[in-house]
Amino acid sequence: MIKEKKKSSKYNFKKSKTQVINEYLRTIGFSVLFSVIFTSGLALHARNEMIKDISMSLETRQSMDRKLAQQLIESADLIKDLPSKKYSVCLHIGELYETAGDYERAQFAYNLAAKKAKQGVYTAYYKLICVLVAQNKIEDAEILLKTIKDQTSKPLIKFKTRSYIVVGDKYYSNGKFLSAAKSYEKAYFYYNKFSKKDKVINESIKYRIVKSYTQAADILVKTGFNQDAIRFLKKAEKYNPTNYDIRYKLAIILSDTDPEKSIEYIEQLLKERPQDIDNRVYGNAYLKAANIADLDNRPTEAKKYRYKVHSTDMFINNKVIYKNDIETTLLTFTTKKKLFTYPLKAVYGFSNVSNSDVIHLTADFILTSNGKQLECVTKPVATKNSPLFPYAEQPNIVNVKFKKKIFTKKELENYTIEIYLYKDKKFKTHVATTKIPK
């Protein structure tokens, strides 16, 4: 019986079966690992290329559609005999001209389609409104909307809601904010006729109304028409009663005309975001309210208002840091490659440019990507042993190191560091946004 020879190395060292099997398994393991890494790399590259192609197609699609539409228009006289064509033909030819940017001919085609449309069908009317607005014929669009009688019809409600939003957007882009607000309110009126509401659409219309009224109010304040500004801010507040900026603007304007009403807003705002209120605003409002109370022979209220100035100042000094009180400087930023990743390390300097000592201060360094929070590093900035004195020669130094693993330098462009300072966790103040240096 012939014995099977054992495998041997080039040094004639005989290997056991176990050693041979282990070598095979190790070789297979390395091959599988290499295949996984190589395949993952290809997949990542393909994904990036696909995203690039999609973004490019989004940028160029409109241009390509326009060129194609222009070629089709040049190949035939589409307007000829159009009045004798069916509704669908007029509608599609209108779409073709609209795509090509020829809004005047699109208007002609849509107008014909609207006349031929069945009762209760408003597609052609909506498209006609859009091309009228595109030509800045806003009044014609509004006249058209008024001529279409209201009915308890879902298609009509949808048509008028969308149309008044289109008209409002045009007014807003033209800087006519009050006209925009009125159009948006009409859209909201029709939208509220729906039995079932969509939260996103509802909030979108209200946001437009609020934005229009606040923009109008800002212009009126600059020109000295404060009472009108208050009226429009009140309308905006009706649609968004929790909006901080609206209430703060009302508090500022009312501090001159009605300081006691201003204080009602200020005291609520101090509970929410005291770090955003200028101390001169609440100080002036309290002192004016105290003077008015004195004139009205209300000494108790006058004393209360004057005490409020002192107590609020104490609260601010102990609990709040203002953005302009601290100067934040990025001193160094390190992204030196370590193994397969780029660790993020930063050194910041913090200087006190206020008139008061800061004994206790903490910073949150938040790493974000496209607005999404990825990691938070919390560090002390000022302590009892290392306070921040006003206008000190040297800033307080803080070293920050993130755990986030970043694999390519290109990826670093997507990240930012948001810095929040606070004496009390309830009242964090955003002081800086740092982009990753190249």
Side-chain angles (χ1 to χ4, degrees):
M1 184 176 179
I2 300 173
K3 291 183 178 180
E4 184 181 350
K5 290 184 179 181
K6 290 184 179 180
K7 291 187 178 180
S8 61
S9 67
K10 64 179 181 179
Y11 301 107
N12 206 31
F13 173 74
K14 294 181 179 179
K15 299 180 181 179
S16 66
K17 286 184 179 180
T18 303
Q19 288 175 316
V20 172
I21 291 169
N22 286 339
E23 282 189 6
Y24 280 137
L25 291 174
R26 189 162 55 248
T27 303
I28 291 168
F30 279 124
S31 299
V32 170
L33 180 62
F34 176 77
S35 299
V36 169
I37 294 171
F38 183 70
T39 305
S40 299
L42 286 176
L44 184 62
H45 177 73
R47 176 179 171 272
N48 291 335
E49 288 297 316
M50 183 178 71
I51 292 170
K52 185 179 177 182
D53 289 342
I54 289 170
S55 63
M56 284 180 64
S57 66
L58 289 172
E59 291 173 3
T60 59
R61 186 179 300 166
Q62 191 173 13
S63 176
M64 290 174 63
D65 287 347
R66 178 170 293 201
K67 287 179 181 178
L68 180 60
Q70 287 171 344
Q71 288 174 3
L72 289 170
I73 290 167
E74 289 170 3
S75 66
D77 186 358
L78 301 178
I79 292 294
K80 186 180 179 181
D81 298 328
L82 191 59
S84 62
K85 303 296 182 184
K86 293 181 179 179
Y87 160 80
S88 59
V89 175
C90 295
L91 186 68
H92 292 318
I93 288 176
E95 290 170 345
L96 198 62
Y97 278 113
E98 184 181 0
T99 303
D102 189 341
Y103 298 123
E104 193 173 333
R105 285 192 172 88
Q107 178 186 335
F108 175 73
Y110 286 145
N111 195 37
L112 290 173
K115 290 176 180 177
K116 298 171 186 289
K118 292 180 181 179
Q119 188 175 0
V121 177
Y122 300 98
T123 304
Y125 284 104
Y126 175 70
K127 290 180 177 293
L128 181 54
I129 293 290
C130 290
V131 294
L132 285 170
V133 168
Q135 297 173 86
N136 224 22
K137 297 177 180 178
I138 310 177
E139 291 182 4
D140 291 344
E142 289 184 308
I143 291 169
L144 176 62
L145 283 167
K146 287 177 182 177
T147 58
I148 301 171
K149 292 182 180 180
D150 287 351
Q151 299 175 24
T152 54
S153 160
K154 188 175 179 180
L156 177 74
I157 295 168
K158 184 178 179 182
F159 156 66
K160 288 212 170 182
T161 301
R162 294 174 68 197
S163 296
Y164 277 116
I165 290 173
V166 170
V167 171
D169 287 347
K170 189 64 176 180
Y171 273 129
Y172 189 92
S173 65
N174 289 346
K176 296 181 178 180
F177 303 117
L178 284 181
S179 297
K182 289 175 183 176
S183 291
Y184 293 141
E185 284 187 315
K186 287 176 183 175
Y188 197 60
F189 167 79
Y190 284 103
Y191 176 74
N192 279 328
K193 291 181 179 291
F194 282 110
S195 55
K196 291 184 179 179
K197 304 288 192 299
D198 183 288
K199 187 177 179 181
V200 174
I201 297 172
N202 188 59
E203 292 304 314
S204 175
I205 299 173
K206 288 201 293 184
Y207 172 80
R208 283 172 159 90
I209 296 169
V210 168
K211 189 75 173 172
S212 300
Y213 275 130
T214 52
Q215 288 278 25
D218 289 346
I219 293 170
L220 289 166
V221 167
K222 290 176 183 177
T223 53
F225 295 98
N226 287 356
Q227 289 300 327
D228 289 328
I230 291 169
R231 183 159 54 89
F232 294 132
L233 285 171
K234 284 283 189 181
K235 287 188 175 185
E237 185 185 24
K238 182 181 71 174
Y239 289 99
N240 193 348
T242 61
N243 186 292
Y244 185 94
D245 294 330
I246 294 171
R247 290 180 290 147
Y248 187 30
K249 287 178 180 180
L250 280 166
I252 293 170
I253 303 170
L254 288 167
S255 64
D256 285 329
T257 59
D258 188 352
E260 289 183 288
K261 186 65 179 176
S262 173
I263 286 168
E264 291 181 19
Y265 283 103
I266 288 170
E267 291 186 340
Q268 186 60 42
L269 297 171
L270 282 167
K271 294 176 184 177
E272 298 173 24
R273 280 163 42 192
Q275 68 272 31
D276 291 337
I277 296 180
D278 189 330
N279 57 359
R280 291 170 297 182
V281 173
Y282 67 74
N284 289 339
Y286 282 128
L287 291 175
K288 286 179 181 178
N291 292 336
I292 290 171
D294 279 334
L295 292 171
D296 291 344
N297 197 25
R298 291 182 285 132
T300 305
E301 283 86 347
K303 186 177 179 180
K304 183 187 74 172
Y305 290 138
R306 290 191 174 95
Y307 172 76
K308 277 285 188 178
V309 177
H310 175 70
S311 63
T312 304
D313 282 341
M314 290 290 292
F315 166 75
I316 294 293
N317 288 335
N318 293 329
K319 299 286 186 181
V320 175
I321 193 77
Y322 287 117
K323 182 176 181 178
N324 294 332
D325 288 346
I326 305 296
E327 194 173 83
T328 306
T329 308
L330 175 64
L331 301 176
T332 62
F333 199 95
T334 307
T335 55
K336 189 175 180 181
K337 191 171 184 179
K338 184 178 180 181
L339 295 177
F340 298 106
T341 62
Y342 291 87
L344 301 183
K345 298 179 183 178
V347 178
Y348 287 93
F350 294 90
S351 302
N352 183 355
V353 291
S354 71
N355 297 318
S356 304
D357 296 346
V358 178
I359 307 301
H360 299 290
L361 190 65
T362 307
D364 282 350
F365 300 87
I366 301 174
L367 184 67
T368 67
S369 176
N370 299 320
K372 183 180 179 182
Q373 181 176 327
L374 303 176
E375 186 179 346
C376 177
V377 175
T378 302
K379 292 275 187 175
V381 173
T383 62
K384 189 175 181 180
N385 296 326
S386 180
L388 272 173
F389 296 115
Y391 300 97
E393 291 184 6
Q394 297 295 328
N396 281 16
I397 305 300
V398 178
N399 292 283
V400 184
K401 182 180 178 181
F402 293 99
K403 295 179 182 179
K404 172 71 179 173
K405 296 185 181 297
I406 297 174
F407 295 95
T408 66
K409 277 194 172 181
K410 184 71 176 174
E411 189 181 351
L412 291 170
E413 297 176 6
N414 299 326
Y415 295 93
T416 58
I417 300 170
E418 306 291 341
I419 304 174
Y420 291 83
L421 296 178
Y422 54 93
K423 296 177 183 177
D424 187 309
K425 283 185 179 180
K426 293 179 183 177
F427 312 118
K428 295 184 180 182
T429 304
H430 182 254
V431 296
T433 298
T434 305
K435 289 187 176 181
I436 307 300
K438 293 182 180 179

